[in-house]
Amino acid sequence: MEKLKVAVVGVGGHGRNRHLVPYLKVKNVEVVAVVDVKEEVAHKVGEEFGVRYYTDHLEMMDRETPDLVSVVTPTGLHYSVAKDILRKGAHVLVDKPVASSVEQVEDLERTSRETGRKVMVGYWSRFSPALSYASRLVREEVGEVYLITTYLVRRRGIPGIPTFLDKSLNGGRGALLDIGCYAIDNALSPLDFPSPLTVSGMIYTKFGNREEEVKLNWGSWDPRTFDLEDYAVGMVRFKDFMMSVEVGWAGNVSHQGEVGVVRILGERGGSEMRGDEAMNEVSFHGVLGGKVVDVRPQLKKVDLHQAIVEEFVSSVREGREPFPNLRQSLVLHSIIDGIYRSSQKGREVSLV
Ligand SMILES: NC(=O)c1ccc[n+]([C@@H]2O[C@H](COP(=O)([O-])OP(=O)(O)OC[C@H]3O[C@@H](n4cnc5c(N)ncnc54)[C@H](O)[C@@H]3O)[C@@H](O)[C@H]2O)c1
């Protein structure tokens, strides 16, 4: 079998550990290059893994002509770098969230169609066995869904590094884009992303702008210039059900660390998932033999980061549509953009 050539653009924490390292374990794939704008990072990772390194993704594309590229730069650069890569002729796996706005997702979809190159979106969380089981429960056991609740909150986890806090790097957005995307993705994937109709939402800055909070969170930043949302809520209306979204980088909550919960209530039963950004437990609640029961399946362990790069490689090799895809991200980003718009206008907004 012919080897596929792979490159990784952006080899900070996530790019090095969760893309590059997993690719090295995939059969019939050759990692040819890494790219990072910080020369010392590119050099260090290139040397460590014995691959060529660059500081410019366009130069890398011209010289190496990879078949597949992972984009793991800060979020605000995903769209432009991914678009360049499609135009240079490679398929691209873009880490989450794929872009910073609906318009950018639409443009990537157009560029993908024009170039005939695929875009896969890096929700490694989608490969969770708990999420797969919840999807099956929704298809077979839950009945007509009437309410979804999705929650992903860190007690204190404002990510104090420029990748997440500098507006030129993070897409100008805070917690709602950074981790809200997981909360919405985990909640809507069991229903295959139906179209939302309206949303009413609010974003808050309650922690990041306070000096005393800096030492309680991660990393460090200047609280005087912090103007991103660190908490957000939204109530989304679909044709047959409602979804509430609550996400935060920091909150005065009782749980430790980061907790994610997705509850899907249907006429015949409820599915509840728990975890963090990825769901790692699932339960079913309903009636069996005339009694109210709780069912907790045994799930196998999966290396989610390995699973996503393997799926990317297989989908390209087999000429299949990769999942997670841009159609799903269009729905997801329309909700995120809608919550920002609703918060600014102080009223419900249409998503149609
Ligand atoms: N950290 C996590 O746990 C995690 C999890 C899932 C997804 N992600 C996503 O991965 C992305 C990167 O996050 P991270 O935690 O690895 O950040 P990071 O700051 O550790 O790494 C980002 C790297 O990209 C490099 N970079 C910046 N601009 C570039 C460009 N134009 N070309 C090439 N390289 C460039 C930076 O120098 C840096 O080394 C973000 O979009 C984030 O949402 C992170």
Side-chain angles (χ1 to χ4, degrees), residues 66-104:
D67 305 293
L68 286 77
V69 176
S70 269
V71 174
V72 207
T73 60
T75 294
L77 310 174
H78 286 178
Y79 158 69
S80 59
V81 175
K83 189 169 170 175
D84 285 346
I85 285 165
L86 290 171
R87 286 199 169 136
K88 291 280 182 188
H91 303 283
V92 65
L93 167 57
V94 189
D95 215 293
K96 56 54 61 180
V98 67
S100 311
S101 68
V102 169
E103 290 73 24
Q104 291 183 354

Side-chain angles (χ1 to χ4, degrees), residues 24-143:
L24 295 169
K25 298 183 200 156
V26 181
K27 281 201 191 110
N28 297 314
V29 154
E30 184 192 1
V31 178
V32 292
V34 294
V35 183
D36 203 289
V37 277
K38 289 186 190 145
E39 206 198 332
E40 68 280 12
V41 174
H43 179 115
K44 184 164 173 281
V45 176
E47 294 270 288
E48 183 183 358
F49 293 97
V51 295
R52 289 179 288 281
Y53 62 90
Y54 297 82
T55 54
D56 181 273
H57 62 277
L58 293 172
E59 185 191 344
M60 181 280 290
M61 291 302 296
D62 288 339
R63 291 199 182 196
E64 304 287 348
T65 63
D67 305 293
L68 286 77
V69 176
S70 269
V71 174
V72 207
T73 60
T75 294
L77 310 174
H78 286 178
Y79 158 69
S80 59
V81 175
K83 189 169 170 175
D84 285 346
I85 285 165
L86 290 171
R87 286 199 169 136
K88 291 280 182 188
H91 303 283
V92 65
L93 167 57
V94 189
D95 215 293
K96 56 54 61 180
V98 67
S100 311
S101 68
V102 169
E103 290 73 24
Q104 291 183 354
V105 184
E106 284 170 344
D107 194 33
L108 282 181
E109 210 175 33
R110 222 171 6 252
T111 310
S112 168
R113 257 197 320 274
E114 283 165 11
T115 57
R117 293 292 176 268
K118 308 271 192 224
V119 178
M120 179 166 170
V121 187
Y123 291 103
W124 52 283
S125 41
R126 204 66 90 69
F127 295 79
S128 143
L131 184 58
S132 304
Y133 192 74
S135 304
R136 184 159 180 182
L137 289 176
V138 167
R139 283 195 308 274
E140 297 176 6
E141 306 293 346
V142 158

Side-chain angles (χ1 to χ4, degrees), residues 112-296:
S112 168
R113 257 197 320 274
E114 283 165 11
T115 57
R117 293 292 176 268
K118 308 271 192 224
V119 178
M120 179 166 170
V121 187
Y123 291 103
W124 52 283
S125 41
R126 204 66 90 69
F127 295 79
S128 143
L131 184 58
S132 304
Y133 192 74
S135 304
R136 184 159 180 182
L137 289 176
V138 167
R139 283 195 308 274
E140 297 176 6
E141 306 293 346
V142 158
E144 194 171 308
V145 171
Y146 57 87
L147 180 63
I148 302 181
T149 307
T150 184
Y151 172 94
L152 180 57
V153 172
R154 296 175 185 160
R155 190 173 199 174
R156 287 294 188 280
I158 296 174
I161 60 168
T163 290
F164 297 98
L165 298 191
D166 181 333
K167 280 191 166 175
S168 67
L169 298 175
N170 67 8
R173 307 298 200 189
L176 178 56
L177 182 63
D178 178 39
I179 59 172
C181 65
Y182 283 117
I184 298 170
D185 195 78
N186 284 327
L188 289 183
S189 95
L191 288 94
D192 196 25
F193 295 83
S195 299
L197 303 175
T198 61
V199 63
S200 182
M202 183 93 107
I203 61 169
Y204 307 84
T205 305
K206 296 288 183 194
F207 294 84
N209 52 1
R210 283 160 46 195
E211 181 70 48
E212 68 275 20
E213 282 294 327
V214 177
K215 55 185 177 303
L216 301 177
N217 284 267
W218 306 342
S220 186
W221 70 92
D222 182 352
R224 289 165 305 180
T225 56
F226 186 101
D227 62 350
L228 300 162
E229 80 283 358
D230 45 34
Y231 216 86
V233 296
M235 186 54 102
V236 191
R237 179 180 295 280
F238 292 79
K239 183 167 159 284
D240 301 312
F241 65 92
M242 299 290 288
M243 176 173 76
S244 84
V245 179
E246 182 176 347
V247 297
W249 275 341
N252 286 321
V253 291
S254 60
H255 58 73
Q256 304 288 323
E258 182 180 46
V259 169
V261 180
V262 177
R263 189 185 300 123
I264 302 176
L265 297 184
E267 282 177 349
R268 287 194 283 117
S271 154
E272 191 163 306
M273 293 182 277
R274 289 181 173 269
D276 36 52
E277 291 161 356
M279 297 290 110
N280 46 41
E281 289 171 26
V282 58
S283 51
F284 173 79
H285 311 279
V287 175
L288 191 66
K291 300 279 185 205
V292 177
V293 294
D294 306 306
V295 177
R296 291 172 210 284

